[in-house]
Structure formats: structure tokens, C-alpha cells
């Protein structure tokens, strides 16, 4: 899975914003403002990856348990799926 083409991220003032451009704008009209954890997960999704890989990257980067990382990763990926931002 990965971030669908056309979902573009911008980092500004320590926050990440994501918008849909081009054909992706037909799927989603709006802007996503991500906290640090969500931004990390979105950045992982810029290349083809899995939930397990995201969890592994989170636990090696942050002082977080695998259980907490998995809950966060699944929640964020689920929200991105709901707006059409994930290509399976």
C-alpha cells in the first residue's frame, strides 16, 4: 500500500498539510492537517509499505511500544483509506 498519486504533502511551521490535486481531487475535497505521528506515517506511505513496516519504523525511531505504534498506524491508515488517499 502507498499514498495515492495526487495526494500532496506540505510541511510548514512544524506541521504537515495534505491536499488532493489533479484526479485525486475528485476523491477528496479538503485539507488534512497531521500531528507528528500522523505525518511520520504519511511519510512512510510515500513508498510502497505495510503496516508491519510502518510499526517497525515507528518503534525504531520513537520510544513507543509495538502495540501503541500498531494502534496508531492502523488508525491513521484507516482514516486515509476513508478519504481515498491509499492505493492498495
Amino acid at each position: 500500500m502507498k499514498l495515492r498519486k495526487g495526494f500532496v504533502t506540505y510541511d510548514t511551521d512544524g506541521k504537515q498539510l495534505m491536499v488532493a490535486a489533479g484526479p485525486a481531487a475528485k476523491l477528496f475535497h479538503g485539507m488534512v492537517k497531521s500531528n507528528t505521528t500522523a505525518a511520520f506515517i504519511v511519510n512512510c506511505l510515500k513508498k510502497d509499505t505495510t503496516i508491519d513496516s510502518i510499526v517497525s519504523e515507528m518503534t525504531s525511531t520513537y520510544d513507543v511500544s509495538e502495540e501503541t505504534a500498531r494502534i496508531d498506524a492502523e488508525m491513521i491508515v484507516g482514516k486515509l483509506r476513508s478519504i481515498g488517499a491509499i492505493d492498495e
Side-chain angles (χ1 to χ4, degrees):
M1 77 180 142
K2 69 187 283 186
L3 197 61
R4 185 180 301 275
K5 184 178 178 180
F7 280 84
V8 182
T9 62
Y10 300 93
D11 294 313
T12 181
D13 293 329
K15 301 211 189 291
Q16 184 183 72
L17 305 174
M18 182 170 60
V19 297
K26 293 179 183 177
L27 298 171
F28 178 72
H29 310 284
M31 178 173 32
V32 176
K33 185 168 96 173
S34 297
N35 65 20
T36 304
T37 302
F40 183 89
I41 294 166
V42 168
N43 287 334
C44 289
L45 288 163
K46 290 182 178 179
K47 63 183 184 343
D48 196 29
T49 191
T50 64
I51 290 288
D52 289 340
S53 293
I54 294 169
V55 169
S56 178
E57 287 189 50
M58 289 175 72
T59 57
S60 62
T61 303
Y62 299 107
D63 183 22
V64 63
S65 71
E66 183 176 335
E67 179 183 2
T68 299
R70 185 167 302 280
I71 289 167
D72 289 347
E74 288 176 352
M75 180 184 65
I76 297 302
V77 168
K79 288 182 179 186
L80 293 171
R81 277 187 179 121
S82 75
I83 65 167
I86 299 291
D87 231 351
E88 298 295 338

